[in-house]
Amino acid sequence: MSEESRPKSELPADVPEYPEYAERVLDVAERIPPGRVMTYGDVAEWLEEGGPRQVGRVMALYGGAVPWWRVVRSDGVLLPGHELRALEAYRAEGTPLREVGRTAERSMPRLDMRRARWDGGSADVTPETHT
């Protein structure tokens, strides 16, 4: 019997139970390719349910189990309080960033949303590879 077909009372203790909407949001977060991002609003639009605040709430409560750094604010500002961890992940994945100017003392780079944003399509085709 698969875990999905078992009654909830028989599931192992280490399998978390998430609300249905949260599971859907987390599934989208897991689908985002490395080096790409979706905004909270993009995720809600892709799901055709909820809005940016609902997606943000799900990510705040349950997002630690998925690549949370790939679900972002629409302005490209890194998640407050998690900037360094997110920046490390973005650099490791090659996510396009907009570096800050020299006059911006102790500022963090922002995501280059024009280049980093993913539309949720099955094929991740860049303009350079499209014929």
Side-chain angles (χ1 to χ4, degrees):
M1 179 183 284
S2 75
E3 289 182 0
E4 292 172 353
S5 62
R6 284 190 208 164
K8 290 182 181 183
S9 61
E10 293 181 26
L11 288 175
D14 62 342
V15 175
E17 289 185 37
Y18 300 124
E20 188 270 335
Y21 183 72
E23 287 184 8
R24 293 178 63 214
V25 168
L26 297 175
D27 181 58
V28 173
E30 288 180 326
R31 293 171 184 253
I32 302 169
R36 304 302 295 270
V37 299
M38 288 180 90
T39 68
Y40 299 110
D42 292 341
V43 172
E45 185 177 320
W46 197 84
L47 291 172
E48 297 180 346
E49 184 179 355
R53 290 183 183 198
Q54 288 83 4
V55 171
R57 182 75 175 149
V58 167
M59 294 304 295
L61 292 174
Y62 310 111
V66 299
W68 54 267
W69 57 91
R70 296 182 192 154
V71 181
V72 301
R73 293 172 38 161
S74 62
D75 62 5
V77 171
L78 306 188
L79 184 63
H82 301 280
E83 299 95 340
L84 296 177
R85 288 177 47 214
L87 187 58
E88 183 179 324
Y90 296 139
R91 288 188 170 143
E93 294 182 354
T95 307
L97 298 169
R98 295 177 58 201
E99 297 296 332
V100 295
R102 293 182 192 182
T103 58
E105 195 174 313
R106 296 189 316 170
S107 293
M108 296 297 286
R110 287 184 179 209
L111 291 160
D112 184 338
M113 294 303 293
R114 187 181 57 79
R115 294 182 9 208
R117 203 169 197 170
W118 186 59
D119 67 4
S122 60
D124 191 21
V125 178
T126 62
E128 295 79 23
T129 60
H130 187 267
T131 56

